[in-house]
Amino acid sequence: MIELRRAEGAKPLIIGHRGAMGHAPENTMASFERGLALGADLIELDVHLSADGHLVVIHDPTVDRTTDGRGYVRDMTLAQLKELDAGSWYGPEFAGQRIPTLPEVLEWARGRVGLVVEIKNGPVFYPGIEERVIEALEAYGMEDEVVVISFDHRCVRRVKELRPRIAAGILYVGRLADPVAVARAAMADALHPNANYLTAEDVREAHRAGLAVSTWVVNDPSWAQELAGMGVDSIGTNYPDRLRSVC
């Protein structure tokens, strides 16, 4: 299992949010390459299922915002999705970037960088997506190099039930009354709260319970420094280079 907890006093890991989406079109190979080049310790990405059952790397349930196409990912085959331009919307220099598959990213990352794989499950739900993700991770020998996360905590629990060795974390926005209990219910190894709702006491409670704390999305170095002082284990950012100066 990937090591999520940092030693006391150690700097937090930097997670490149959707690669380095402040510098390149999110969830594309160009963004992942840029994130790694700018010093990200881990690369975060999102996965949905295509109409023909392929794991595709895109944030939204539709292709409308980040490609030149229209429609739901679930209604399009991989071949149809691969025809879309996923880079021109960001800038002409990224024209021709395609929607990657999870296997393509795993092949690229293996031996280079760990991944944070967010399973998108809601408002569009994908029955069996957990098994598909696990199959892909095992096919590329990446089980110990990834953290699987989701806002769907039942999805997190399913991954842990199937493969306890794969690290997993629960995403949430807000202050849970008992985040440790929620993590336990999901069999999670880590909390992934939005940074706007995180306090030093939350971090202490999580660490006392043996849970790692990874927060997001932080683009201001001074804020990252404050969170590092709280003892967070990792920080997601659109600009890995900005945080590299303090983390």
Side-chain angles (χ1 to χ4, degrees):
M1 183 183 296
I2 193 169
E3 181 58 53
L4 304 178
R5 288 286 304 274
R6 305 297 288 159
E8 187 173 352
K11 292 181 177 181
L13 298 172
I14 295 174
I15 300 175
H17 185 228
R18 307 180 206 169
M21 61 179 285
H23 295 282
E26 62 183 69
N27 279 324
T28 62
M29 297 309 299
S31 189
F32 301 145
E33 289 280 6
R34 188 69 60 89
L36 184 60
L38 294 177
D41 299 298
L42 299 166
I43 297 293
E44 187 264 354
L45 55 91
D46 309 281
V47 294
H48 293 258
L49 274 178
S50 68
D52 49 350
H54 291 274
L55 291 162
V56 292
V57 178
I58 187 171
H59 180 269
D60 299 356
T62 71
V63 301
D64 300 30
R65 182 178 62 85
T66 57
T67 78
D68 59 349
R70 294 290 183 271
Y72 281 89
V73 174
R74 68 180 177 188
D75 295 332
M76 306 177 75
T77 65
L78 179 60
Q80 290 171 322
L81 291 165
K82 282 293 188 180
E83 291 177 356
L84 303 178
D85 186 328
S88 291
W89 67 273
Y90 195 94
E93 67 272 30
F94 296 107
Q97 285 291 309
R98 303 300 172 190
I99 298 174
T101 64
L102 181 60
E104 286 170 347
V105 180
L106 292 172
E107 176 69 29
W108 168 82
R110 184 168 53 183
R112 302 177 71 190
V113 66
L115 299 176
V116 181
V117 178
E118 180 180 345
I119 297 178
K120 291 295 189 181
N121 214 30
V124 175
F125 291 90
Y126 303 102
I129 191 171
E130 302 93 341
E131 287 86 347
R132 296 294 183 91
V133 169
I134 289 170
E135 289 170 4
L137 297 180
E138 292 181 338
Y140 286 86
M142 289 284 287
E143 309 100 300
D144 296 328
E145 301 300 326
V146 303
V147 184
V148 175
I149 61 176
S150 185
F151 283 101
D152 182 349
H153 298 175
R154 294 187 181 189
C155 180
V156 173
R157 185 174 65 193
R158 179 64 176 156
V159 169
K160 293 297 289 185
E161 287 172 344
L162 292 170
R163 296 293 188 277
R165 67 179 283 190
I166 296 177
I170 54 169
L171 282 161
Y172 58 96
V173 178
R175 290 202 73 203
L176 303 179
D178 192 343
V180 171
V182 175
R184 293 282 185 258
M187 303 172 65
D189 307 290
L191 304 178
H192 286 249
N194 181 277
N196 290 299
Y197 300 93
L198 186 62
T199 70
E201 180 56 28
D202 295 334
V203 177
R204 287 193 291 270
E205 288 182 2
H207 285 171
R208 283 196 292 267
L211 298 168
V213 179
S214 179
T215 195
W216 50 277
V217 171
V218 179
N219 299 320
D220 179 358
S222 61
W223 192 11
Q225 202 160 24
E226 181 181 344
L227 290 163
M230 291 182 188
V232 299
D233 300 290
S234 52
I235 302 174
T237 179
N238 299 335
Y239 299 92
D241 49 325
R242 293 184 186 177
L243 267 60
R244 194 76 277 172
S245 63
V246 298
C247 295

